[in-house]
Amino acid sequence: HVSRGSRSSNSMSSMARSDSMQFKARITMFPQFSAKLDNLKAVAQEMMDNESDHVQQDVIAQQFAEASLTILRQLRYHCMESGLDGWRQGKLRRKVLIVDDSIVTRKMVARAFEKANFIVDTAEDGVKGVNKMKESIYDIAFMDIDMPVMNGFDATKALRMWEDSVRPGARQPICALTAAQVDDFDRTELMKFKEAGLDVMESKPCNIPRLFKVVDDVSPMFSDL
C-alpha cells in the first residue's frame, strides 16, 4: 500500500528471520509484473508525499489501488493461460484454511473445496487458526468472527502484527465470515473489519459459490500492494 507518512524500517533481526524462513511474495516469480507494480507504487508515493490535502490523498490512493488491481488481473490471466493457476488448470493445487468453531460450517465448506481439488486445512478457534497461518500461506483463509478462545477480529490483528515483524511482504489474505448481513453494513461497520486487517467479508450461512468467487478474486498476489 501507499503510506501517508514515514514508517520505521524493520529491524535487521526481523529481516534475518524473514530471509531464513524464505517466504517470498508470489509476484516475485514474475519480474515484469513486479517491476510495473514497483514503478506504480513509486509514482503514487511521490504524489502522496507532495500532496497535503487528505481528500486528494484519498483520491490518489484510490487511483493507485485501481491501477494496481488492473496489473494484477493481467498477471492472473497470464498465469491461467500459462497453466499456472492450479484451480483452473490442475497443475498446482490451491490451498484454503477454514477457521470456524462450527463443525457443520467447517465440514460443509471443506467438502465443497475438496471436491474442487483444493487442499483444505481447518481450525476451530482463532488461536489455532493463527498458528496454522504462521506455518504456511494459504490462497485464502476464511475466518469466522464469533468464536471462543480468540475471535476473528483478535486473531486477524494478532496475525497482522506477527506478519509485520516476522514475515514482511508476504501477507495472508483473510475473508471474514459473519452472521451479520454484509450488504447492509454502513461505513463504520466496514471500517471495523478493515482496521482489523480483514480483506473481504461474507455473510453466514455460507454461500459456497460466493466463497469460490472470493478465492478467484483474492490471492497472495494481491497482498503485494
Side-chain angles (χ1 to χ4, degrees):
H1 65 276
V2 179
S3 64
R4 289 194 170 86
S6 61
R7 178 180 297 173
S8 60
S9 61
N10 293 302
S11 67
M12 292 301 292
S13 60
S14 293
M15 292 175 67
R17 286 197 302 271
S18 178
D19 290 342
S20 66
M21 295 175 73
Q22 297 183 330
F23 280 105
K24 287 188 177 181
R26 188 173 295 181
I27 198 168
T28 58
M29 297 167 56
F30 308 94
Q32 180 182 355
F33 289 93
S34 183
K36 285 183 180 180
L37 271 182
D38 287 342
N39 181 63
L40 181 63
K41 184 182 291 186
V43 171
Q45 187 64 64
E46 182 178 359
M47 293 175 65
M48 193 76 82
D49 291 340
N50 293 325
E51 180 58 68
S52 58
D53 184 271
H54 290 300
V55 174
Q56 288 303 312
Q57 286 184 343
D58 287 341
V59 172
I60 293 169
Q62 181 64 34
Q63 291 174 339
F64 165 70
E66 291 173 355
S68 298
L69 287 175
T70 297
I71 294 173
L72 291 171
R73 288 192 183 102
Q74 291 171 353
L75 174 55
R76 190 174 72 192
Y77 292 133
H78 167 76
C79 290
M80 288 165 56
E81 290 169 1
S82 303
L84 297 174
D85 186 303
W87 184 16
R88 297 178 185 279
Q89 301 293 339
K91 298 290 181 66
L92 298 170
R93 294 181 67 191
R94 300 173 84 174
K95 190 173 182 180
V96 299
L97 173 67
I98 305 156
V99 186
D100 198 305
D101 62 313
S102 167
I103 189 171
V104 173
T105 298
R106 292 200 306 274
K107 284 187 174 182
M108 178 185 70
V109 178
R111 189 176 297 116
F113 279 94
E114 285 169 349
K115 285 183 178 179
N117 200 34
F118 281 72
I119 297 170
V120 179
D121 281 346
T122 63
E124 62 264 32
D125 62 61
V127 172
K128 292 178 180 178
V130 169
N131 288 337
K132 285 183 178 290
M133 288 183 282
K134 287 180 179 180
E135 293 171 0
S136 62
I137 300 178
Y138 297 84
D139 286 274
I140 193 76
F142 294 106
M143 177 78 71
D144 185 26
I145 294 301
D146 187 14
M147 292 184 291
V149 185
M150 179 183 281
N151 65 41
F153 285 125
D154 292 340
T156 303
K157 289 177 182 177
L159 180 70
R160 296 305 184 216
M161 290 179 63
W162 179 85
E163 286 176 330
D164 287 344
S165 62
V166 178
R167 196 172 69 192
R171 186 176 186 273
Q172 170 65 60
I174 302 177
C175 173
L177 299 179
T178 173
Q181 287 299 311
V182 173
D183 293 338
D184 295 334
F185 277 5
D186 59 26
R187 181 176 175 80
T188 301
E189 290 173 309
L190 288 172
M191 288 306 297
K192 182 179 179 182
F193 280 77
K194 293 298 183 184
E195 287 170 0
L198 291 154
D199 302 294
V200 191
M201 291 147 281
E202 284 294 332
S203 297
K204 295 176 71 178
C206 296
N207 181 319
I208 297 299
R210 285 187 61 152
L211 297 189
F212 275 105
K213 187 177 186 305
V214 167
V215 181
D216 195 31
D217 290 343
V218 182
S219 79
M221 288 188 296
F222 284 75
S223 63
D224 294 295
L225 298 179

